[in-house]
Amino acid sequence: GAVVSQHPSWVICKSGTSVKIECRSLDFQATTMFWYRQFPKQSLMLMATSNEGSKATYEQGVEKDKFLINHASLTLSTLTVTSAHPEDSSFYICSAGGVGEGTQYFGPGTRLLVL
Amino acid sequence: GESVGLHLPTLSVQEGDNSIINCAYSNSASDYFIWYKQESGKGPQFIIDIRSNMDKRQGQRVTVLLNKTVKHLSLQIAATQPGDSAVYFCAEMDSSYKLIFGSGTRLLVRP
C-alpha cells in the first residue's frame, strides 16, 4: 500500500513553455501533498504544501505564480511550471500523507530539463 | 532557522561490514524523525522512523538511534550489501508536518 505515482517521469521542454507534473496517491486518499525540488547532489527542498480544496502554501522564496499547484481531489495534485527557464531544470518530487500519520510517501520524481 | 545536517558526506564500507550514518538536528522541539534512502534518479524510500519518546528502534538490518540530549540521530545498517549503496537522508518533521531534510550521505559499498 501507500503508493504515490508521478507523471511524466521525465520531460524536456523549450524555454518559455509550461510543464504540468501530476502526483497521484494510488491506494489512499491524501488531503495533503507536498512538492519538493532537488538539484543534482543536493538535498530535497520543500517548495509548497498542497491542500485538497484550498490554496497551496508556498515556502519562502518560491514564486507561487511560477509554480502553480492544484489539488482538486484527494488523490491528485498537479504542479505546473509556467514559462520554464533553464534554471528550473531539476528533479521534482511529490509526497503524500504525513499529516497526523507521520510518514510521507514519496513519488518516483519527475526529471525536468528546460532547453 | 531550523536545519538538519550530516557529519559525513560520503561513507565507503566493505561489503558485509556495518555502516553508521550520522545526522545532527537543531530543532529540539522536533518529535518525529525519519531516515530515507534515495537511489539515483528515484524518489526517497522510507527506511525507518523514530519518535522522540524513544531512543532506539530496530528494523530488518537497520537500527535508528536518537540522542535528544545532543540532538543527534544515527542509522546503523548491519551486514551492508551492494544494494545498500545510495544516498541516505535524515529528516525531521516540524509542528506543521513539514519534513526538513539533511544534506545527505552517500554510502558506497565496496565488493
Side-chain angles (χ1 to χ4, degrees):
Chain A
V3 178
V4 177
S5 70
Q6 283 184 239
H7 178 80
S9 56
W10 60 270
V11 57
I12 302 173
C13 69
K14 292 181 179 180
S15 184
T17 61
S18 295
V19 175
K20 180 186 284 188
I21 302 170
E22 294 184 347
C23 176
R24 294 183 185 272
S25 57
L26 299 185
D27 49 6
F28 66 103
Q29 293 183 330
T31 55
T32 303
M33 291 183 174
F34 302 86
W35 286 96
Y36 296 83
R37 179 168 52 184
Q38 185 178 31
F39 292 107
K41 299 183 179 181
Q42 294 188 23
S43 188
L44 283 75
M45 295 299 294
L46 180 65
M47 299 176 66
T49 302
S50 170
N51 300 296
E52 187 266 337
S54 64
K55 292 182 178 180
T57 304
Y58 291 82
E59 295 301 299
Q60 190 174 9
V62 178
E63 301 175 56
K64 63 179 182 180
D65 294 330
K66 180 171 183 61
F67 298 99
L68 302 179
I69 292 174
N70 183 277
H71 194 155
S73 76
L74 290 172
T75 59
L76 173 65
S77 176
T78 61
L79 169 68
T80 300
V81 183
T82 62
S83 186
H85 288 92
E87 57 267 29
D88 298 323
S89 298
S90 188
F91 194 47
Y92 291 87
I93 307 170
C94 72
S95 71
V99 179
E101 302 168 8
T103 306
Q104 290 182 19
Y105 301 97
F106 284 84
T110 296
R111 178 79 58 191
L112 170 64
L113 177 61
V114 184
L115 301 177
Chain B
E2 300 174 352
S3 66
V4 181
L6 298 177
H7 299 307
L8 297 174
T10 303
L11 176 65
S12 179
V13 299
Q14 190 74 36
E15 180 179 356
D17 288 351
N18 296 334
S19 302
I20 299 176
I21 300 172
N22 297 301
C23 176
Y25 64 94
S26 60
N27 186 359
S28 57
S30 294
D31 61 1
Y32 182 58
F33 304 87
I34 312 106
W35 280 100
Y36 289 95
K37 172 186 180 183
Q38 186 179 30
E39 296 175 294
S40 182
K42 297 183 179 180
Q45 176 188 352
F46 172 89
I47 301 174
I48 193 168
D49 59 359
I50 189 168
R51 295 201 176 273
S52 60
N53 60 353
M54 304 173 67
D55 53 19
K56 181 179 180 179
R57 189 158 188 235
Q58 289 184 293
Q60 187 175 14
R61 283 201 308 119
V62 294
T63 300
V64 55
L65 299 178
L66 175 63
N67 186 330
K68 296 182 288 294
T69 302
V70 295
K71 292 185 285 187
H72 185 267
L73 195 66
S74 69
L75 175 69
Q76 300 178 359
I77 304 174
T80 312
Q81 303 170 358
D84 295 327
S85 293
V87 177
Y88 289 81
F89 293 97
C90 66
E92 63 178 307
M93 184 169 284
D94 71 8
S95 57
S96 58
Y97 303 104
K98 296 178 184 178
L99 283 178
I100 303 166
F101 281 81
S103 56
T105 292
R106 180 173 298 280
L107 177 63
L108 300 175
V109 182
R110 302 189 304 272

